[in-house]
Amino acid sequence: MIDLDEHGRPEPPFAADETATLLGFLDYQRATLAWKCTGLDTAGLNATVAPSTMTLGGMLKHLAYVESSWCSEWLHGRAPESPWDKVDWASDADWDWHSAAEDTPEQLLTLWRDAVARSRSLVADALADGGLDRLAQRSFSDGQTPSLRWILLHLVEEYARHNGHVDLLRESVDGRTGE
């Protein structure tokens, strides 16, 4: 049984193997983002804290892209999925951030939740095909190839860093605070 905290986030296991611990911390960070972004209207998801243009809606879309990029494109070598396949990233490197203003809260939360669900499935496939040491299908320009372990740790880092921003943004919208 998974222990949930007072905000419905799954507590990472205190004594588990490396895989369960990594996935536990990643799910905790994902649940933190969901907790901070759920229940807001379009204005709430588009609020900024000066001078930044970062928004909670942009954060949801960005992290949906991060999930898709690392777990589908990098890990499994797949082509970008919709909506990422239609973006001209060379001319608009921040498309995921600012295009979120055109989406409804329901669209943004669905996009992110669907990306997380796909990532969970793709990670499970990779774990079954080599475990944490399994190498990604893509390599960096210098020829180095990240392992599944590296990708999962990178996702934990990405969420943890951005959840700090999320805390500030949510507090500016309605005063909601919490770790």
Side-chain angles (χ1 to χ4, degrees):
M1 181 173 162
I2 297 174
D3 289 328
L4 300 178
D5 72 6
E6 67 273 15
H7 304 293
R9 298 175 296 179
E11 293 284 359
F14 288 110
D17 66 17
E18 183 181 11
T19 300
T21 302
L22 279 170
L23 295 175
F25 273 94
L26 180 54
D27 280 340
Y28 182 84
Q29 293 297 327
R30 287 169 170 158
T32 298
L33 177 71
W35 166 45
K36 294 291 181 157
C37 293
T38 300
L40 292 174
D41 61 10
T42 300
L45 287 178
N46 286 326
T48 62
V49 177
S52 176
T53 60
M54 191 178 292
T55 66
L56 290 170
M59 190 70 68
L60 285 166
K61 199 163 193 175
H62 171 70
L63 288 169
Y65 171 65
V66 167
E67 293 270 0
S68 181
S69 176
W70 282 108
C71 294
S72 181
E73 297 171 38
W74 278 84
L75 186 58
H76 289 282
R78 297 183 178 174
E81 300 167 343
S82 181
W84 323 118
D85 60 339
K86 295 171 183 60
V87 179
D88 180 1
W89 294 104
S91 66
D92 190 355
D94 289 331
W95 179 87
D96 48 340
W97 289 98
H98 67 262
S99 68
E102 302 165 14
D103 301 324
T104 66
E106 294 79 20
Q107 289 170 319
L108 291 167
L109 285 164
T110 298
L111 179 70
W112 176 75
R113 287 182 179 133
D114 288 351
V116 168
R118 276 190 304 279
S119 290
R120 285 187 176 124
S121 177
L122 292 167
V123 166
D125 291 346
L127 284 167
D129 181 35
L132 293 173
D133 293 328
R134 181 192 184 279
L135 295 179
Q137 296 297 307
R138 286 176 121 185
S139 299
F140 293 103
S141 59
D142 65 2
Q144 294 189 64
T145 305
S147 66
L148 175 57
R149 178 183 291 102
W150 188 96
I151 290 170
L152 291 174
L153 283 167
H154 178 68
L155 289 173
V156 170
E157 176 270 333
E158 184 89 13
Y159 272 95
R161 180 169 33 95
H162 285 315
N163 278 338
H165 302 123
V166 168
D167 285 341
L168 293 171
L169 289 163
R170 182 62 191 245
E171 185 176 3
S172 76
V173 171
D174 62 7
R176 178 184 277 183
T177 61
E179 63 173 280

